[in-house]
Amino acid sequence: MESGIVKTAGAEIYYQTHGVGPAVVLAHGIGGNHALWYGQIDALARSNRVILFDHRGFGLSRDLDGRGRDAFVEDLIALLDHLGEDRVALVGQSMGAGTCIGFAHQAPERVAALAICDSLHGIAESAAVKAIMDAARTQTAAMDQIDRVLGAGAPRDLAMLYRQIASFNAVDRHNLTGQFTARPAADLAGKGYPILFLCGTEDVIFPIEAVRLVQEEVAGSFLVEVNDVGHSAFLEAPVQFNDTLLSLLQMAGHVGKSGAAHSNTAGYVRVGG
């Protein structure tokens, strides 16, 4: 593992890298930081260089000029430049997807694949999507953060772990500054890299009905729905989440020499000669 701090314009960004191979960036949501990806590191780092980081104001990163979301894409570009990564696969969960989508619009030539997980941040809402999202925003506004981000069946120890990791963040959804630039979903298409939408069917923040409508607007994209989990599929169903990402990386040809580490690889039987 490598770790360090990158000084960007108005911030200090903490990062870690694990493994070697084509780079995969994991961008966390508003209740998380780099530590919340503990269930993804082993599977992805077997054949890829996994890059974890804390958005400014989260975890071990500092937001020195208070720009918040306004500077997230700028920070990610600076981090990847520092690490010497010209082309990466982007995995963004909730807030982090807004960062990845903004990066993809600004530097599409640097994107090998894009996974938009439990999120519609950075995507302009059609009338139909806005109706669903307005209802969800009203429903969840006063909810406890755990009830917002985890499905009803999530283990209590997972909820406790989430709270403990979130406690290291200087900001939360109530005081985070800045905003993502929202562009039509269709603008993501046709850039030459695969796009995955991945969402839990019990997500109350970004209802699956809204995600389905948006995914239909992105030509050539595909949607994977994870049953019986909420807004944090990567936490509640890590094996399915990881296997889906590994398939995306194979589809993009963005896998190192070791090959993908799917959970059921040992069960595959070679057919034919």
Side-chain angles (χ1 to χ4, degrees), residues 205-233:
I205 302 177
F206 293 99
I208 192 66
E209 295 81 6
V211 176
R212 289 168 182 160
L213 290 176
V214 171
Q215 185 266 328
E216 290 175 358
E217 299 179 43
V218 183
S221 68
F222 59 103
L223 169 64
V224 172
E225 302 181 13
V226 185
N227 293 329
D228 304 320
V229 303
H231 182 63
S232 304

PDB file of all heavy atoms in Angstrom, residues 205-233:
ATOM      1  N   ILE A 205     -32.966   7.046  -1.192  1.00  0.00           N
ATOM      2  CA  ILE A 205     -32.448   8.344  -1.609  1.00  0.00           C
ATOM      3  C   ILE A 205     -32.536   8.512  -3.117  1.00  0.00           C
ATOM      4  O   ILE A 205     -32.966   9.557  -3.622  1.00  0.00           O
ATOM      5  CB  ILE A 205     -30.990   8.520  -1.129  1.00  0.00           C
ATOM      6  CG1 ILE A 205     -30.907   8.390   0.392  1.00  0.00           C
ATOM      7  CG2 ILE A 205     -30.444   9.877  -1.569  1.00  0.00           C
ATOM      8  CD1 ILE A 205     -29.508   8.486   0.943  1.00  0.00           C
ATOM      9  N   PHE A 206     -32.133   7.476  -3.843  1.00  0.00           N
ATOM     10  CA  PHE A 206     -32.255   7.456  -5.306  1.00  0.00           C
ATOM     11  C   PHE A 206     -33.078   6.230  -5.687  1.00  0.00           C
ATOM     12  O   PHE A 206     -32.520   5.165  -5.960  1.00  0.00           O
ATOM     13  CB  PHE A 206     -30.875   7.425  -5.971  1.00  0.00           C
ATOM     14  CG  PHE A 206     -30.082   8.680  -5.762  1.00  0.00           C
ATOM     15  CD1 PHE A 206     -29.106   8.748  -4.779  1.00  0.00           C
ATOM     16  CD2 PHE A 206     -30.328   9.805  -6.531  1.00  0.00           C
ATOM     17  CE1 PHE A 206     -28.384   9.910  -4.563  1.00  0.00           C
ATOM     18  CE2 PHE A 206     -29.608  10.976  -6.338  1.00  0.00           C
ATOM     19  CZ  PHE A 206     -28.634  11.032  -5.357  1.00  0.00           C
ATOM     20  N   PRO A 207     -34.396   6.361  -5.693  1.00  0.00           N
ATOM     21  CA  PRO A 207     -35.255   5.202  -5.959  1.00  0.00           C
ATOM     22  C   PRO A 207     -34.933   4.536  -7.288  1.00  0.00           C
ATOM     23  O   PRO A 207     -34.589   5.199  -8.280  1.00  0.00           O
ATOM     24  CB  PRO A 207     -36.659   5.821  -5.980  1.00  0.00           C
ATOM     25  CG  PRO A 207     -36.546   7.047  -5.134  1.00  0.00           C
ATOM     26  CD  PRO A 207     -35.161   7.578  -5.407  1.00  0.00           C
ATOM     27  N   ILE A 208     -35.036   3.216  -7.293  1.00  0.00           N
ATOM     28  CA  ILE A 208     -34.692   2.447  -8.491  1.00  0.00           C
ATOM     29  C   ILE A 208     -35.514   2.883  -9.693  1.00  0.00           C
ATOM     30  O   ILE A 208     -35.026   2.840 -10.832  1.00  0.00           O
ATOM     31  CB  ILE A 208     -34.848   0.933  -8.212  1.00  0.00           C
ATOM     32  CG1 ILE A 208     -34.215   0.105  -9.322  1.00  0.00           C
ATOM     33  CG2 ILE A 208     -36.308   0.565  -7.984  1.00  0.00           C
ATOM     34  CD1 ILE A 208     -32.729   0.234  -9.431  1.00  0.00           C
ATOM     35  N   GLU A 209     -36.743   3.353  -9.472  1.00  0.00           N
ATOM     36  CA  GLU A 209     -37.579   3.801 -10.593  1.00  0.00           C
ATOM     37  C   GLU A 209     -36.956   4.999 -11.300  1.00  0.00           C
ATOM     38  O   GLU A 209     -37.014   5.102 -12.529  1.00  0.00           O
ATOM     39  CB  GLU A 209     -38.984   4.169 -10.084  1.00  0.00           C
ATOM     40  CG  GLU A 209     -39.777   3.004  -9.526  1.00  0.00           C
ATOM     41  CD  GLU A 209     -39.411   2.656  -8.099  1.00  0.00           C
ATOM     42  OE1 GLU A 209     -38.606   3.405  -7.478  1.00  0.00           O
ATOM     43  OE2 GLU A 209     -39.923   1.625  -7.591  1.00  0.00           O
ATOM     44  N   ALA A 210     -36.342   5.900 -10.547  1.00  0.00           N
ATOM     45  CA  ALA A 210     -35.682   7.055 -11.140  1.00  0.00           C
ATOM     46  C   ALA A 210     -34.410   6.645 -11.875  1.00  0.00           C
ATOM     47  O   ALA A 210     -34.111   7.132 -12.970  1.00  0.00           O
ATOM     48  CB  ALA A 210     -35.360   8.085 -10.066  1.00  0.00           C
ATOM     49  N   VAL A 211     -33.658   5.727 -11.268  1.00  0.00           N
ATOM     50  CA  VAL A 211     -32.421   5.260 -11.894  1.00  0.00           C
ATOM     51  C   VAL A 211     -32.726   4.564 -13.219  1.00  0.00           C
ATOM     52  O   VAL A 211     -32.007   4.752 -14.219  1.00  0.00           O
ATOM     53  CB  VAL A 211     -31.651   4.322 -10.948  1.00  0.00           C
ATOM     54  CG1 VAL A 211     -30.410   3.753 -11.641  1.00  0.00           C
ATOM     55  CG2 VAL A 211     -31.255   5.060  -9.674  1.00  0.00           C
ATOM     56  N   ARG A 212     -33.781   3.778 -13.264  1.00  0.00           N
ATOM     57  CA  ARG A 212     -34.158   3.104 -14.505  1.00  0.00           C
ATOM     58  C   ARG A 212     -34.447   4.108 -15.620  1.00  0.00           C
ATOM     59  O   ARG A 212     -34.023   3.923 -16.776  1.00  0.00           O
ATOM     60  CB  ARG A 212     -35.381   2.228 -14.273  1.00  0.00           C
ATOM     61  CG  ARG A 212     -35.138   0.980 -13.440  1.00  0.00           C
ATOM     62  CD  ARG A 212     -36.449   0.337 -13.023  1.00  0.00           C
ATOM     63  NE  ARG A 212     -36.252  -0.847 -12.187  1.00  0.00           N
ATOM     64  CZ  ARG A 212     -37.186  -1.348 -11.389  1.00  0.00           C
ATOM     65  NH1 ARG A 212     -38.395  -0.771 -11.318  1.00  0.00           N
ATOM     66  NH2 ARG A 212     -36.934  -2.420 -10.666  1.00  0.00           N
ATOM     67  N   LEU A 213     -35.155   5.173 -15.299  1.00  0.00           N
ATOM     68  CA  LEU A 213     -35.488   6.179 -16.306  1.00  0.00           C
ATOM     69  C   LEU A 213     -34.232   6.873 -16.828  1.00  0.00           C
ATOM     70  O   LEU A 213     -34.099   7.112 -18.035  1.00  0.00           O
ATOM     71  CB  LEU A 213     -36.454   7.216 -15.715  1.00  0.00           C
ATOM     72  CG  LEU A 213     -37.875   6.741 -15.416  1.00  0.00           C
ATOM     73  CD1 LEU A 213     -38.679   7.855 -14.741  1.00  0.00           C
ATOM     74  CD2 LEU A 213     -38.574   6.288 -16.705  1.00  0.00           C
ATOM     75  N   VAL A 214     -33.322   7.200 -15.928  1.00  0.00           N
ATOM     76  CA  VAL A 214     -32.090   7.871 -16.345  1.00  0.00           C
ATOM     77  C   VAL A 214     -31.224   6.945 -17.190  1.00  0.00           C
ATOM     78  O   VAL A 214     -30.672   7.343 -18.226  1.00  0.00           O
ATOM     79  CB  VAL A 214     -31.307   8.372 -15.120  1.00  0.00           C
ATOM     80  CG1 VAL A 214     -29.924   8.870 -15.532  1.00  0.00           C
ATOM     81  CG2 VAL A 214     -32.080   9.487 -14.424  1.00  0.00           C
ATOM     82  N   GLN A 215     -31.107   5.693 -16.750  1.00  0.00           N
ATOM     83  CA  GLN A 215     -30.274   4.748 -17.502  1.00  0.00           C
ATOM     84  C   GLN A 215     -30.755   4.587 -18.937  1.00  0.00           C
ATOM     85  O   GLN A 215     -29.957   4.450 -19.866  1.00  0.00           O
ATOM     86  CB  GLN A 215     -30.253   3.400 -16.780  1.00  0.00           C
ATOM     87  CG  GLN A 215     -29.326   2.373 -17.400  1.00  0.00           C
ATOM     88  CD  GLN A 215     -30.015   1.448 -18.389  1.00  0.00           C
ATOM     89  OE1 GLN A 215     -31.206   1.146 -18.218  1.00  0.00           O
ATOM     90  NE2 GLN A 215     -29.306   1.012 -19.406  1.00  0.00           N
ATOM     91  N   GLU A 216     -32.061   4.641 -19.139  1.00  0.00           N
ATOM     92  CA  GLU A 216     -32.624   4.535 -20.485  1.00  0.00           C
ATOM     93  C   GLU A 216     -32.200   5.701 -21.377  1.00  0.00           C
ATOM     94  O   GLU A 216     -32.191   5.577 -22.602  1.00  0.00           O
ATOM     95  CB  GLU A 216     -34.145   4.461 -20.416  1.00  0.00           C
ATOM     96  CG  GLU A 216     -34.676   3.158 -19.839  1.00  0.00           C
ATOM     97  CD  GLU A 216     -36.181   3.166 -19.670  1.00  0.00           C
ATOM     98  OE1 GLU A 216     -36.806   4.215 -19.966  1.00  0.00           O
ATOM     99  OE2 GLU A 216     -36.742   2.135 -19.243  1.00  0.00           O
ATOM    100  N   GLU A 217     -31.840   6.817 -20.777  1.00  0.00           N
ATOM    101  CA  GLU A 217     -31.416   7.994 -21.539  1.00  0.00           C
ATOM    102  C   GLU A 217     -29.960   7.909 -21.995  1.00  0.00           C
ATOM    103  O   GLU A 217     -29.534   8.689 -22.850  1.00  0.00           O
ATOM    104  CB  GLU A 217     -31.596   9.264 -20.701  1.00  0.00           C
ATOM    105  CG  GLU A 217     -33.019   9.565 -20.268  1.00  0.00           C
ATOM    106  CD  GLU A 217     -33.086  10.825 -19.428  1.00  0.00           C
ATOM    107  OE1 GLU A 217     -32.420  11.809 -19.797  1.00  0.00           O
ATOM    108  OE2 GLU A 217     -33.785  10.815 -18.402  1.00  0.00           O
ATOM    109  N   VAL A 218     -29.197   6.993 -21.407  1.00  0.00           N
ATOM    110  CA  VAL A 218     -27.769   6.885 -21.724  1.00  0.00           C
ATOM    111  C   VAL A 218     -27.561   5.714 -22.670  1.00  0.00           C
ATOM    112  O   VAL A 218     -27.503   4.552 -22.253  1.00  0.00           O
ATOM    113  CB  VAL A 218     -26.929   6.707 -20.445  1.00  0.00           C
ATOM    114  CG1 VAL A 218     -25.436   6.685 -20.801  1.00  0.00           C
ATOM    115  CG2 VAL A 218     -27.218   7.818 -19.449  1.00  0.00           C
ATOM    116  N   ALA A 219     -27.478   6.008 -23.940  1.00  0.00           N
ATOM    117  CA  ALA A 219     -27.355   4.968 -24.959  1.00  0.00           C
ATOM    118  C   ALA A 219     -26.136   4.086 -24.700  1.00  0.00           C
ATOM    119  O   ALA A 219     -25.043   4.582 -24.426  1.00  0.00           O
ATOM    120  CB  ALA A 219     -27.255   5.610 -26.341  1.00  0.00           C
ATOM    121  N   GLY A 220     -26.353   2.780 -24.768  1.00  0.00           N
ATOM    122  CA  GLY A 220     -25.260   1.827 -24.609  1.00  0.00           C
ATOM    123  C   GLY A 220     -24.904   1.498 -23.178  1.00  0.00           C
ATOM    124  O   GLY A 220     -24.048   0.645 -22.931  1.00  0.00           O
ATOM    125  N   SER A 221     -25.538   2.154 -22.211  1.00  0.00           N
ATOM    126  CA  SER A 221     -25.257   1.854 -20.803  1.00  0.00           C
ATOM    127  C   SER A 221     -26.058   0.644 -20.352  1.00  0.00           C
ATOM    128  O   SER A 221     -26.945   0.165 -21.080  1.00  0.00           O
ATOM    129  CB  SER A 221     -25.604   3.049 -19.917  1.00  0.00           C
ATOM    130  OG  SER A 221     -27.011   3.262 -19.881  1.00  0.00           O
ATOM    131  N   PHE A 222     -25.764   0.140 -19.186  1.00  0.00           N
ATOM    132  CA  PHE A 222     -26.552  -0.965 -18.654  1.00  0.00           C
ATOM    133  C   PHE A 222     -26.749  -0.781 -17.160  1.00  0.00           C
ATOM    134  O   PHE A 222     -26.031  -0.005 -16.513  1.00  0.00           O
ATOM    135  CB  PHE A 222     -25.921  -2.324 -18.974  1.00  0.00           C
ATOM    136  CG  PHE A 222     -24.526  -2.525 -18.450  1.00  0.00           C
ATOM    137  CD1 PHE A 222     -24.285  -3.296 -17.327  1.00  0.00           C
ATOM    138  CD2 PHE A 222     -23.431  -1.974 -19.115  1.00  0.00           C
ATOM    139  CE1 PHE A 222     -23.004  -3.506 -16.858  1.00  0.00           C
ATOM    140  CE2 PHE A 222     -22.134  -2.181 -18.644  1.00  0.00           C
ATOM    141  CZ  PHE A 222     -21.929  -2.946 -17.514  1.00  0.00           C
ATOM    142  N   LEU A 223     -27.744  -1.461 -16.619  1.00  0.00           N
ATOM    143  CA  LEU A 223     -28.146  -1.317 -15.228  1.00  0.00           C
ATOM    144  C   LEU A 223     -28.120  -2.661 -14.530  1.00  0.00           C
ATOM    145  O   LEU A 223     -28.641  -3.643 -15.056  1.00  0.00           O
ATOM    146  CB  LEU A 223     -29.564  -0.725 -15.154  1.00  0.00           C
ATOM    147  CG  LEU A 223     -30.273  -0.738 -13.791  1.00  0.00           C
ATOM    148  CD1 LEU A 223     -29.539   0.128 -12.778  1.00  0.00           C
ATOM    149  CD2 LEU A 223     -31.719  -0.270 -13.956  1.00  0.00           C
ATOM    150  N   VAL A 224     -27.512  -2.690 -13.356  1.00  0.00           N
ATOM    151  CA  VAL A 224     -27.550  -3.864 -12.489  1.00  0.00           C
ATOM    152  C   VAL A 224     -28.280  -3.467 -11.211  1.00  0.00           C
ATOM    153  O   VAL A 224     -27.881  -2.502 -10.540  1.00  0.00           O
ATOM    154  CB  VAL A 224     -26.138  -4.385 -12.160  1.00  0.00           C
ATOM    155  CG1 VAL A 224     -26.201  -5.474 -11.097  1.00  0.00           C
ATOM    156  CG2 VAL A 224     -25.466  -4.916 -13.423  1.00  0.00           C
ATOM    157  N   GLU A 225     -29.350  -4.191 -10.886  1.00  0.00           N
ATOM    158  CA  GLU A 225     -30.130  -3.934  -9.688  1.00  0.00           C
ATOM    159  C   GLU A 225     -29.788  -4.985  -8.636  1.00  0.00           C
ATOM    160  O   GLU A 225     -29.811  -6.187  -8.926  1.00  0.00           O
ATOM    161  CB  GLU A 225     -31.626  -3.966 -10.012  1.00  0.00           C
ATOM    162  CG  GLU A 225     -32.029  -2.955 -11.078  1.00  0.00           C
ATOM    163  CD  GLU A 225     -33.519  -2.981 -11.380  1.00  0.00           C
ATOM    164  OE1 GLU A 225     -34.284  -3.602 -10.597  1.00  0.00           O
ATOM    165  OE2 GLU A 225     -33.927  -2.381 -12.395  1.00  0.00           O
ATOM    166  N   VAL A 226     -29.478  -4.520  -7.449  1.00  0.00           N
ATOM    167  CA  VAL A 226     -29.114  -5.425  -6.359  1.00  0.00           C
ATOM    168  C   VAL A 226     -30.317  -5.547  -5.430  1.00  0.00           C
ATOM    169  O   VAL A 226     -30.736  -4.571  -4.805  1.00  0.00           O
ATOM    170  CB  VAL A 226     -27.887  -4.909  -5.581  1.00  0.00           C
ATOM    171  CG1 VAL A 226     -27.462  -5.936  -4.534  1.00  0.00           C
ATOM    172  CG2 VAL A 226     -26.738  -4.621  -6.546  1.00  0.00           C
ATOM    173  N   ASN A 227     -30.888  -6.731  -5.354  1.00  0.00           N
ATOM    174  CA  ASN A 227     -32.104  -6.940  -4.583  1.00  0.00           C
ATOM    175  C   ASN A 227     -31.863  -6.860  -3.074  1.00  0.00           C
ATOM    176  O   ASN A 227     -30.803  -7.244  -2.574  1.00  0.00           O
ATOM    177  CB  ASN A 227     -32.707  -8.310  -4.906  1.00  0.00           C
ATOM    178  CG  ASN A 227     -33.226  -8.392  -6.329  1.00  0.00           C
ATOM    179  OD1 ASN A 227     -33.667  -7.395  -6.894  1.00  0.00           O
ATOM    180  ND2 ASN A 227     -33.173  -9.574  -6.919  1.00  0.00           N
ATOM    181  N   ASP A 228     -32.875  -6.348  -2.380  1.00  0.00           N
ATOM    182  CA  ASP A 228     -32.932  -6.401  -0.915  1.00  0.00           C
ATOM    183  C   ASP A 228     -31.834  -5.601  -0.214  1.00  0.00           C
ATOM    184  O   ASP A 228     -31.484  -5.896   0.927  1.00  0.00           O
ATOM    185  CB  ASP A 228     -32.883  -7.857  -0.418  1.00  0.00           C
ATOM    186  CG  ASP A 228     -33.996  -8.704  -1.022  1.00  0.00           C
ATOM    187  OD1 ASP A 228     -35.123  -8.201  -1.144  1.00  0.00           O
ATOM    188  OD2 ASP A 228     -33.714  -9.863  -1.391  1.00  0.00           O
ATOM    189  N   VAL A 229     -31.272  -4.597  -0.883  1.00  0.00           N
ATOM    190  CA  VAL A 229     -30.307  -3.708  -0.227  1.00  0.00           C
ATOM    191  C   VAL A 229     -30.703  -2.265  -0.510  1.00  0.00           C
ATOM    192  O   VAL A 229     -31.448  -1.973  -1.443  1.00  0.00           O
ATOM    193  CB  VAL A 229     -28.853  -3.958  -0.683  1.00  0.00           C
ATOM    194  CG1 VAL A 229     -28.447  -5.398  -0.432  1.00  0.00           C
ATOM    195  CG2 VAL A 229     -28.660  -3.592  -2.145  1.00  0.00           C
ATOM    196  N   GLY A 230     -30.202  -1.368   0.327  1.00  0.00           N
ATOM    197  CA  GLY A 230     -30.544   0.033   0.215  1.00  0.00           C
ATOM    198  C   GLY A 230     -29.530   0.838  -0.570  1.00  0.00           C
ATOM    199  O   GLY A 230     -29.020   0.389  -1.601  1.00  0.00           O
ATOM    200  N   HIS A 231     -29.202   2.020  -0.033  1.00  0.00           N
ATOM    201  CA  HIS A 231     -28.389   2.998  -0.742  1.00  0.00           C
ATOM    202  C   HIS A 231     -26.903   2.635  -0.791  1.00  0.00           C
ATOM    203  O   HIS A 231     -26.145   3.271  -1.509  1.00  0.00           O
ATOM    204  CB  HIS A 231     -28.581   4.364  -0.067  1.00  0.00           C
ATOM    205  CG  HIS A 231     -27.847   5.490  -0.700  1.00  0.00           C
ATOM    206  ND1 HIS A 231     -28.093   5.909  -1.996  1.00  0.00           N
ATOM    207  CD2 HIS A 231     -26.857   6.298  -0.224  1.00  0.00           C
ATOM    208  CE1 HIS A 231     -27.305   6.924  -2.284  1.00  0.00           C
ATOM    209  NE2 HIS A 231     -26.537   7.175  -1.233  1.00  0.00           N
ATOM    210  N   SER A 232     -26.482   1.637  -0.048  1.00  0.00           N
ATOM    211  CA  SER A 232     -25.053   1.297   0.032  1.00  0.00           C
ATOM    212  C   SER A 232     -24.830  -0.145  -0.385  1.00  0.00           C
ATOM    213  O   SER A 232     -24.414  -0.991   0.410  1.00  0.00           O
ATOM    214  CB  SER A 232     -24.531   1.538   1.455  1.00  0.00           C
ATOM    215  OG  SER A 232     -24.768   2.869   1.858  1.00  0.00           O
ATOM    216  N   ALA A 233     -25.073  -0.437  -1.646  1.00  0.00           N
ATOM    217  CA  ALA A 233     -24.931  -1.803  -2.147  1.00  0.00           C
ATOM    218  C   ALA A 233     -23.526  -2.340  -1.926  1.00  0.00           C
ATOM    219  O   ALA A 233     -23.341  -3.533  -1.666  1.00  0.00           O
ATOM    220  CB  ALA A 233     -25.298  -1.856  -3.627  1.00  0.00           C
TER     221      ALA A 233
END
